[in-house]
Amino acid sequence: MAPTSAPGRTDEHPPLTLSTTLSTAVSTAPKPAPRNSEPRTSEPRTSEPRTSEPRVSRPAPTGLWALIIAGGYAAGLAADALGLPAPYLLSALLVGAVLALCGRVRDRLPAPANRASQALVGALMGSYLSPSALVSAAPVALPLTVVTAATIALSVAVARFLSRGGRIGRPSAVLGMVPGGSAAIVTCADELNADVRLVAFTQYLRVGLVATTAPLAAHWMTSAASAAGGHPAAGGGAGPGLLHVVAGSDQLTGLLTLAAIAVVGSWAGRRLRVPTPLLIGPMLVALVATLSGAVPGFAPVGVLQNIVFVLVGLDVGVRFTRRTLLSVRRLLPPILVCMTVLCLGCAGLAWVFAGVTSTPFTDAYLATTPGGINAVLATAVSSHANVALVSTVQSLRLLVVVLVTPLITRRLAAGRPPAPLTA
């Protein structure tokens, strides 16, 4: 899951079963007696995962994850020293992907760390939506709405093209291609007669690709603007001190406020049943706290912000195991082609939006790119873009996608004869 969603049971199961079901079948088959094992092999999909899942889904030791997170942070420090864009996000993503592809990590990021990173990212997003930022975004509200609708329409059109070959059903193609709310989309895939594993892989592959390419593209555009005589690209700088982990001057009060926003926001998001509640809930609570002006600075900065970005990168990277890639290797080329078309189409929409609203192209690109909101926000912060604009557009699209995608999927599936429904 893009790290943009609640790590509930429905979010964690698809990636676990996708990468471990085959190995479970091999390891558990020799144990029973031959007479008892033969009848059971005829029902591997219904009986085997349920009986063996507790053993397979055993989480990795906490000490191992602590070492992995420390390694991701160290890689981020090295990348930052080399001047790479979004160093902590990209480095942690690559570390997680390498460990998963080598088989060293077979599990998702631990649930407490995943929940904490989502809540802190939500609080960070809400802290950027100040009254002045919302007022500055008001004149471009109509173009933002048009761009959001055009992005969804483009993703649906690409999904219909992807499903024309017959190897991917329309529900699976649409749910795999729509940008926004990855975990929420994966959660509703089963209900919409889609292949949950294929939808999960396609969603997280898109998030991984955008999380990898967006920082490089933003860095290239920022450097080009600086070379052309525009505003110089901001460097890494010294940054806040090691003990300065929130934006306010009173660190203890800021940390307590941040913790309260994360906890209350997560609870409120679940109670209100908003999409990706662990992200959107804290964002809404942080927005209220920011607009009130009575709450001290609570936005994560410095070491704490870097750790959050490391967790976001690891959460994306560890999803790409060898078994995941092997299971969809025949579908990978057309999926990659369609994703490239979608990303280029969104870049075209960003170019139009930038021209109509006189917005810098880097800000427009990050606001419209079809990636995970966590990764895009990390890129926006690292590249010193207009985070308020990027957060507003990405949040709006996430909400719209999660609300309208089930309706679009049912309509497209019903618009054809029964074949796509059984695909």
Side-chain angles (χ1 to χ4, degrees), residues 272-362:
L272 297 175
R273 296 185 178 181
V274 298
T276 58
L278 297 185
L279 178 74
I280 299 299
M283 186 190 76
L284 295 177
V285 174
L287 173 61
V288 173
T290 303
L291 294 178
S292 69
V295 180
F298 58 85
V301 297
V303 175
L304 180 58
Q305 186 184 96
N306 295 338
I307 292 175
V308 171
F309 290 164
V310 167
L311 295 178
V312 171
L314 286 175
D315 184 56
V316 176
V318 297
R319 301 174 191 266
F320 298 101
T321 63
R322 283 183 293 179
R323 292 191 180 276
T324 303
L325 296 178
L326 289 175
S327 64
V328 295
R329 63 185 182 277
R330 295 180 181 178
L331 300 175
L332 193 57
I335 290 176
L336 287 175
V337 170
C338 290
M339 284 184 179
T340 302
V341 172
L342 178 61
C343 291
L344 292 177
C346 290
L349 292 174
W351 180 76
V352 174
F353 175 77
V356 171
T357 62
S358 300
T359 301
F361 181 68
T362 303

Side-chain angles (χ1 to χ4, degrees), residues 2-3 85-86 89-90 93 151 176-180 182 201-219 221 312 316 320 336 338-344 346-347 365-380 390 394 397:
L89 172 71
L90 274 183
L93 189 153
T151 302
M177 284 293 161
V178 289
S182 299
F201 173 78
T202 307
Q203 280 284 334
Y204 295 127
L205 177 63
R206 173 183 52 78
V207 171
L209 289 176
V210 173
T212 304
T213 58
L216 301 176
H219 179 72
M221 287 183 284
V312 171
V316 176
F320 298 101
L336 287 175
C338 290
M339 284 184 179
T340 302
V341 172
L342 178 61
C343 291
L344 292 177
C346 290
Y365 169 77
L366 291 176
T368 58
T369 189
I373 191 170
N374 292 353
V376 173
L377 178 68
T379 302
V390 174
Q394 290 282 343
R397 190 181 67 198

